[in-house]
Amino acid sequence: MSCVQSCTSVPHSDEEMSVPDYMQCAEDHQTVLVVVQPVGIVPEDQFFRIYKRIASVSQVSVRDSQRQLYIRYRHHYLPENNEWGDFQTHRKVVGLIAVTTCASAKEWPQTSERFHGQKEVFGSTLYDSRLLVFGLQGEIAEQQRTDVAFYPAFDQCPDVEKRVEDFVESIFIVLESKRLDRATDKSGDKIHLLCVPFEKKDFVGLDTDSRHYKKRCQGRMRKHVGDLCLQAGMLQDALVHYHMAVELLRGVNDFLWLGAALEGLCSASVIFHYPGGTAGKTGARKPKQSQPADAGKRHRPGAQEVLIDPGALSANGISADTSTEIGRAKNCLSPEDIIEKYKDAISYYGKYKNAGVIELEACVKAVRVLAIQKRAMEASEFLQNAVYINLGQLSEEEKIQRYSILSELYDLIGFQRKSAFFKRVAAMQCVAPTIPEPGWRACYKLLLETLPGYSLSLDPKDFSKGTHRGWAAVQMRLLHELVYASRRMGNPALSVRHLSFLLQTMLDFVSDQEKKEVTQSLENYTSKCPGGMEVITLPDGLKLPPVPFTKLPIVRSVKLLDLPASLRPHKVKGLLGQNMSTASPFIYSPIIMHNRGEERCKKIDFQWVQGDVCEVQLMVYNPMPFELRVENMGLLTSGVEFESLPAALSLPAESGLYPVTLVGVPRTSGNITVNGYHTSVFGVNSDCLLEGLTNVKTGGCLVEVVPSLPRLQLTTSLPRSVNVLAPLSKEELSSRVSLQLFNGETQQLTITLENIGTEDIQSLELTSKMVNTKDKMYGEFLSWDLAEAGSQLPLKPGQSVAVAVGVRVKLDFSGQESLLQELNDDGISVTGLPISSPLRHVLKPRAEKSGGTEGGKTEYSHIKSLEAVLNFKYSGGPGKVEGYYRELSLGVHVDVEPSVFFTRVSTLPATSTRQCHLLLDVFNSTEHEVTVSAKNNQDLVLHASECQRMAIQVDRIDFESLPQREPDPQRYASAKQLEEERLRAQGCQINSKLGLCWTIPSLRRQGEASVEGVLNQLVLEHLQLAPLQWDVAVSGKPCDCDVVAQCRVGEAVELEVRLTNRSQGPVGPFALTAIPCQDYQNGVLNHELQDAVTFIGSNTFHIDAVKPQEKAVCAGALLFLCTGDFYLNIRFQDDSSSSGGRELPLSWFCLPSVHIKALDTPPEAGA
Amino acid sequence: MAVCIAVIAKENYPLYIRSVPTQNELKFHYTVHTSLDVVEEKISAAGKAMADQRELYLGLLYPTEDYKVYGYVTNSKVKFVIVVDSSNTSLRDNEIRSMFRKLHNSFTDVMCNPFYNPGDPVQSKVFEGMVSGMMVQVS
């Protein structure tokens, strides 16, 4: 652009108009200026009330004409500016309205004097003046005067507006007369030269008769008449005069006035084109000075607010009045021309250093026109020019005003960033170091207004989406300034808020050094005023939302933790099932899953318990280059009354992910939602809600809190162990004990359960579970009786109950290969162990290879472990009502050392068919001397690693009489298992019959020795009573191996053979034959006894089929013919075999042999 | 040569800004930031005319006391701004244009990098080197 800039500074002089009116706009050229001023003492508020009412009369339709008069009111106007009134008449004060108070008539003369004094100030230019007197009553007030109006009070002046209108009319009359006077004054050869203040001295001594001078006078006068016409509402006339003035002045190179004429032309054209005005409705006015006046003027009745495109108007010929159309076409400038002429005018003004204010104002006016035309680029050029116009030394206030108006104008043309830039400059100007009393409040207010220009909102929510994208450097600077300004304003809360915001949103852009500085100053501020979560509302209504520090520390994941295993609530199964069935009739439906996916993924499938400490684990990290102290970190929850127990933590600099556990206690039951957490960092309290956080992983935040349950604490009589049971993790067991026992030993374990909760324990159950079942186990490992403990229920808080648990270990150590090896080598025949034992087959070769006897001793002392878990289920309180219980588990670990065991078992038949001898090779595998004892047998002392045989006479056992358990198909999956179970039961019975015990006197330990492991089928068969039991009675007396029945020769001896079937199936029919014989004790058996013994009847008995549990008896009689010892062999024939029945084992037919002594003399009693 | 070169994203935030180290960096931030007003105005004005055959080079955005600010906008509305010293009168319009073309080509290379996430700050070393070549060499 071609504007010439005046860059050099000019000393301030009286001739210069120093204060630009930045509010001016093109249409102000058609207004007349009226100054309204208080005279004497007038209360300010009252004055402005009156001023407002006066200023409402901004436009007056003059009587008898179509013309309108526009009035601009000022309550403050510099007389220097008034002196430029000839140059542009709208700068001339033509009216004065003085407002005064006058309490009494005495004061009146003085008041009147003052009024006249006031008139003197603008005296040279005033057309008319008025005085409004308030408060005066009486005779003076009653006199009718045109220039003075009396009112009794400020609120009793109903006709002020009317008065002002009259006043305006009187001004109009003067104006009109002046216009006519000047307009028609063509013939006069002596035209007064109008000049601006600074020109006056230049024209001294100039040749007033020259043609050049005359033309100049004419031109200036034309221009002046144009101004008057414009003010008087004669737009077309004004245009004509301006055009003529331009021609005249251009001819004489009178650039200043040429510029004024061009500007006048522009103003008139703007008024024509844009009846709505160019100031814009949002143009911020200095409220006291001009707003009321402008407000009235901008809303002229009938004026079109919309922009009328002049081009469109002329093209379509909308205007009906052809004369104005022609006139306009001729004289009025087109919108493009207006700008061109403004440019010209400004460049002419620019030639004069003293016309800076005029130039600046012209620029502002042009910008307003361009804003209406939406030509932002050109407007920015005008503004750019305006920036460089030097007005000499401006006061600080003027600078602020200038920057503010530049900002407003940039805003007007849509240059938000430029606008913000200048507003910020203005803000900084408010607190420039040269200002004695810096206006921090104003500075702060202006800074706030720049926020949109830097696309910065003070709501941290706008910054939560991903990485921040903006002019970080510039925004940070602004925030720093806001912080500083608010601090200097004495509002630390604001400083804290802004600084928090800076830290939170700009963290990625702040250098490490700055981080330190910022946090340090933040801590300084918060020491005076801690930051919180409340919304700060500024006096102008701006709300500063709270800034939670979601990045200090940064939270990466939030995980709700289940209670420890011992406190976890379990739902009673039955009730759970009910709930399931009510939820949906389907076990699985993808549709429902889909619909409820959202809800489900949030709800967590474990429960918390009312009244118990619950944990939430956060993974956090510290982005700061120094240690971050987070205080008062706790959970924010909803749904359930929750007592948060805040934690304080200290995170090392630039820490990696760091687990933090936040705890709290739910006080009621229901569903609890963890919404977020609160922290206190650098003295700022933040509530960080999870929903606002990105990049946070949560496994759901909704968890059910079940009603309170009791708590049990478990202590045992044995020391705790740290051994972890193999398949169970440490967490699942609340406590563990371990003990060492010799095989067969029994130990009492006393478990004390104390109610450490707040609820009564109403139910208690105990179950156990073996953990490793590798080794074959005999008998119950753990046994207890809960009846006594149960009788103490309900258990009140603080009370405790003891439960005794017996620990009994019985393992089979006999299968140790090296041991067998060693024992086999000594040549004792092994009858007890079945040769086909798989163990032996596999292990024997290996033992041979090792060969050495040295390895043997160490190996058989190896220890076996037994592990089991005792589970206490307990419940009580409201949780029990809801069907919840808790489990407490105690791990029991027993290291079992071998004590004594039996390497071999064999049997020897005893004399009686009902007894037999059990031969046991007892091996002492301990390092101590052991005494082994059995029932009714003498003790056997064994030294360490000694093996001895002991023989025990045992009664044969009737296994069939064992309580047969119903074969449970689930428990014994196969026949093999069934068989094992049977064996086990038999072994158990044998064991109890034997009652084998060992004691280690040196250790005072004792236990049982079990033969169960070494028993095998063969031995068992030997030990077993035959299922068919034969009893032979001679003369009614039962007869067995050692019993000798006595009878007399010649007398018939009754013989009764009784069969009891104890087997499962029916047996028989059998045929029995009794054959007498005689033993000569020399190895000869004489069966030929037909002459010695005679059967009365048959010697063969037939027994029909005998059903189970039934008896069959057959009786016969014998007659001994001579004395002697006789034996009866009862032979047996199985008749059923011929009929294709099964083969019965031979042992079933183990019949007693009957020994009868036949005597001559009758037997003595008791012999 | 330039004293400041900036690349600004479609959404008007800086992707890259580099200025001669001797001077106040923040000042250039302000300069470039405010120049965006003019860029936007020019784009919207040009957009009305011919969207297709728009000239990418926007010319002188505005002169300040010490600097001249030139602008260039790609079809994807990424803006390049070059600030040159006002005292450097020897610099011709054509030279500015060729600087912008170079800048544009280099930026295209950056965008072609599959590991570059559009919208992230430019950190390419090649781009950096090219910009350094266009900057005023400070001894």
Side-chain angles (χ1 to χ4, degrees), chain A residues 742-746 899 931 996-1000 1005-1009:
Chain A
F742 286 103
N743 192 20
E745 207 177 341
T746 301
S899 50
T931 312
L996 278 166
C997 289
W998 54 261
T999 45
I1000 303 175
R1005 306 270 288 258
Q1006 59 176 17
E1008 293 169 46

Side-chain angles (χ1 to χ4, degrees), chain A residues 1021-1081:
Chain A
E1021 274 180 22
H1022 284 210
L1023 283 173
Q1024 193 178 5
L1025 271 177
L1028 299 183
Q1029 191 182 332
W1030 302 95
D1031 295 293
V1032 180
V1034 177
S1035 308
K1037 289 178 195 161
C1039 204
D1040 206 355
C1041 31
D1042 295 334
V1043 179
V1044 181
Q1046 291 182 350
C1047 61
R1048 293 174 71 107
V1049 175
E1051 278 181 30
V1053 180
E1054 276 179 55
L1055 182 70
E1056 193 183 84
V1057 178
R1058 195 161 54 225
L1059 168 65
T1060 312
N1061 180 11
R1062 287 208 177 88
S1063 72
Q1064 297 285 317
V1067 290
F1070 303 114
L1072 298 171
T1073 312
I1075 300 165
C1077 69
Q1078 220 168 5
D1079 190 354
Y1080 295 133
Q1081 308 287 339

Side-chain angles (χ1 to χ4, degrees), chain A residues 374-377 380 384 388 410 413-421 424 453-455 467-474 477-478 481, chain B residues 6 8 11-14 17 24 26 28-38 40-42 61-65 117-120:
Chain A
K374 299 207 188 301
R375 289 157 73 178
M377 279 310 299
S380 79
Q384 188 78 31
Y388 295 122
Y410 271 117
I413 61 171
F415 281 24
Q416 304 295 332
R417 297 175 186 87
K418 264 290 202 208
S419 166
F421 178 84
R424 191 185 143 267
Y454 292 109
S455 39
T467 50
H468 173 55
R469 289 174 166 175
W471 291 82
V474 174
R477 178 60 175 260
L478 177 60
E481 284 163 356
Chain B
I8 291 127
E11 294 84 8
N12 288 330
Y13 62 89
I17 183 157
N24 183 4
L26 189 65
F28 287 114
H29 275 267
Y30 276 118
T31 308
V32 177
H33 181 250
T34 47
S35 73
L36 288 178
D37 279 330
V38 185
E40 287 210 313
E41 181 61 35
K42 288 209 175 195
L61 298 180
Y62 70 95
T64 70
E65 270 172 284
N117 202 2
D120 284 358

Side-chain angles (χ1 to χ4, degrees), chain A residues 42 102 258 376 381 419 456 504 655 715 781 843 880 1116 1136 1156:
Chain A
V42 180
C102 189
L258 174 56
E381 282 167 16
S419 166
L456 196 62
Q504 165 73 15
S655 70
T715 46
F781 178 38
L843 297 175
K880 184 180 164 65
S1136 65
I1156 304 167

